Amino acid sequence: MAPGAETQSQTIEEYVETIHRFSGRPEGASTTGLAKHLGVRPATVSGMLKRLAELGLITYRRYRHIALTEKGERLAHDVIKRHRLMERLLTDVLKVPLAEAHEEACRLEHAVSPGVAARLAEALGSPKSCPHGHPVDASSKDDTIPLPDAPTDRPLTIARLEDETAEVVRYLADRGLLPGRKVTLREVEPLSATVVIEAGGKRHTLGYQLAASIRVGRPKRRGKG
């Protein structure tokens, strides 16, 4: 593949992956949101969206939300799988700190072919999730809820971290609030926009936005007494 074509292919993958991530948010994917996230001008995004539509990867009408087609979803799932396997390789084998894994995986995901990704998954023991707790198979059913939406005073398990930026992951890692950790939601304070949780006998006060980016396993309903 010529250098220019390779760069174009990586850009397409980056856009499709980002649109997939945004599609899970209430506001969906928009030109403005993509431009801010990718650090480019809205005009640049508009040009790429037209290209993606021509390739049959998205449906797109100006000033409306962008949606992936079935072809676009398949590509997004493939890129996401490569990304999350690379995160596993980085943290589990190369011992890269979790806070650095996401950015490193972003650089490496485009260099791995689906065939190599399959071999990598096998070598890693076919992991079901990335170290941030996201399923390697992006089409997996989501049975988690935001931490503030969980019932109080019930045992909970952190399932995944939605915000994978280095500073946030480092902050949570320093407090031991990573996937797999048992926690209990104690208080949700709407007026102060804070959430109080307990983990290992210690209480932590988190900002509401940060707490909402932490997903926990959906607790089972209590049986009737």
Side-chain angles (χ1 to χ4, degrees):
M1 184 184 293
E6 182 176 355
T7 300
Q8 179 75 353
S9 176
Q10 291 180 3
T11 303
I12 288 171
E13 289 186 349
E14 188 71 24
Y15 269 79
V16 169
E17 181 184 15
T18 303
I19 291 169
H20 181 277
R21 290 178 183 272
F22 273 52
S23 66
R25 302 178 181 181
E27 69 273 17
S30 65
T31 301
T32 303
L34 291 172
K36 183 178 180 179
H37 180 82
L38 296 169
V40 297
R41 294 181 298 115
T44 301
V45 173
S46 295
M48 179 53 68
L49 292 178
K50 291 178 182 178
R51 174 65 174 149
L52 295 178
E54 291 170 358
L55 293 171
L57 297 171
I58 65 168
T59 56
Y60 164 63
R61 291 178 64 184
R62 197 174 183 186
Y63 304 124
R64 299 203 178 179
H65 287 167
I66 304 114
L68 292 172
T69 62
E70 185 176 336
K71 179 180 178 182
E73 284 282 354
R74 288 198 302 270
L75 177 57
H77 289 177
D78 181 56
V79 177
I80 290 168
K81 179 180 180 178
R82 284 182 265 147
H83 178 96
R84 292 174 180 170
L85 287 173
M86 291 309 302
E87 287 185 333
R88 274 289 169 205
L89 175 67
L90 289 164
T91 58
D92 296 2
V93 180
L94 302 180
K95 307 305 179 185
V96 172
L98 180 58
E100 301 172 16
H102 177 68
E103 288 301 322
E104 292 292 344
C106 285
R107 300 185 185 96
L108 296 170
E109 65 189 29
H110 307 294
V112 180
S113 68
V116 171
R119 289 177 179 270
L120 178 59
E122 184 178 357
L124 292 171
S126 301
K128 299 299 182 184
S129 65
C130 78
H132 300 94
H134 296 271
V136 170
D137 180 358
S139 63
S140 300
K141 180 182 177 181
D142 183 9
D143 197 28
T144 67
I145 57 175
L147 176 58
D149 292 348
T152 57
D153 303 322
R154 293 272 302 275
L156 304 168
T157 301
I158 296 178
R160 71 171 185 265
L161 309 180
E162 289 292 336
D163 191 335
E164 299 175 41
T165 54
E167 58 271 25
V168 168
V169 174
R170 192 173 293 113
Y171 178 88
L172 294 174
D174 287 345
R175 288 154 180 78
L177 303 177
L178 295 177
R181 184 66 186 271
K182 303 294 183 181
V183 300
T184 304
L185 177 62
R186 293 304 185 191
E187 298 175 24
V188 178
E189 298 289 349
L191 292 180
S192 61
T194 58
V195 172
V196 179
I197 63 172
E198 186 173 329
K202 185 176 181 179
R203 292 203 171 200
H204 303 271
T205 300
L206 306 175
Y208 189 90
Q209 185 174 353
L210 174 58
S213 73
I214 299 173
R215 307 282 296 196
V216 297
R218 189 183 300 276
K220 294 181 180 179
R221 292 183 179 179
R222 285 176 170 166
K224 294 182 179 180

